[in-house]
Amino acid sequence: MAVAAGEYEIGPETGRLLLRVFREGVAARIGHDLVIEATRWEGYVSLPADTGTAAQPTVTVRIDLGTLEVREGTGGVKPLSDGDRQQIRRNMRKVLRTDRHPHADFTSTRVELHDGRATVEGDLTLTGQTHPQRLEIRQRDEDTLTGATTLVQSRWGIKPYSGFFGALRLRDAVDIEFTVSLSAG
């Protein structure tokens, strides 16, 4: 990657962190596919000037799970209402156990740089459990990075939401996308 070496703070002021949640099951058509945004998060990216040394790039991110907001709901037999958004927010807090585990934390353990891309491996702590997670990152322009990963909820002991006696449920895999600008850190 050709982003300038340096230390960068990231968060909602420098980017967006989105979760894409999809429905499944026999009653899937009554539910909504969701776009959820983390509205309070912070992180730190360190890109050393000399990648030939033992120093390697590092990434850390902390997400306040209580600030997840439903931004969009597509599909379903009726549009997503404000009441639906409030109910989804309550369900997220319950499923993620935010009363006991209010944050998700990611810390890189290995970063591989390629031409305009990076693979970041690290540890993700969610609901009190820590497991490896891999991020795929691309450089969009001089100082903007986009990335994605797929998180399998059950791996962290999360039972995906279900309703109507299991006829409507959320897919276990959640797609996470982010865009960050790394400028003047």
Side-chain angles (χ1 to χ4, degrees), residues 3-10 14 45 142-143 181-185:
V3 175
E7 312 290 323
Y8 301 95
E9 290 183 23
I10 57 174
T14 63
V45 176
E142 185 177 315
D143 63 358
S181 175
L182 302 181
S183 56

Side-chain angles (χ1 to χ4, degrees), residues 24-56:
E24 62 184 14
V26 261
R29 65 181 298 224
I30 65 172
H32 298 89
D33 292 332
L34 304 173
V35 176
I36 299 167
E37 183 170 11
T39 61
R40 193 175 318 149
W41 58 282
E42 61 187 10
Y44 185 75
V45 176
S46 175
L47 300 172
D50 183 6
T51 57
T53 67
Q56 92 168 300

Side-chain angles (χ1 to χ4, degrees), residues 86-116:
Q86 290 174 3
Q87 183 63 43
I88 292 166
R89 194 174 311 115
R90 284 191 293 272
N91 289 337
M92 282 190 298
R93 289 183 177 144
K94 181 179 176 184
V95 167
L96 294 172
R97 302 185 290 277
T98 60
D99 57 331
R100 289 180 284 160
H101 308 287
H103 299 103
D105 294 294
F106 177 82
T107 304
S108 65
T109 56
R110 182 174 175 204
V111 178
E112 291 181 17
L113 302 175
H114 318 282
D115 293 329

Side-chain angles (χ1 to χ4, degrees), residues 24 91 95 159-171:
E24 62 184 14
N91 289 337
V95 167
K159 183 179 180 193
Y161 172 81
S162 69
F164 299 103
F165 305 101
L168 168 64
R169 60 188 177 277
L170 295 182
R171 193 174 76 186

Side-chain angles (χ1 to χ4, degrees), residues 38-80:
T39 61
R40 193 175 318 149
W41 58 282
E42 61 187 10
Y44 185 75
V45 176
S46 175
L47 300 172
D50 183 6
T51 57
T53 67
Q56 92 168 300
T58 59
V59 178
T60 59
V61 175
R62 171 168 266 202
I63 303 165
D64 181 342
L65 298 173
T67 67
L68 297 176
E69 292 290 333
V70 178
R71 296 297 188 209
E72 186 179 322
T74 57
V77 293
K78 62 182 181 99
L80 195 62

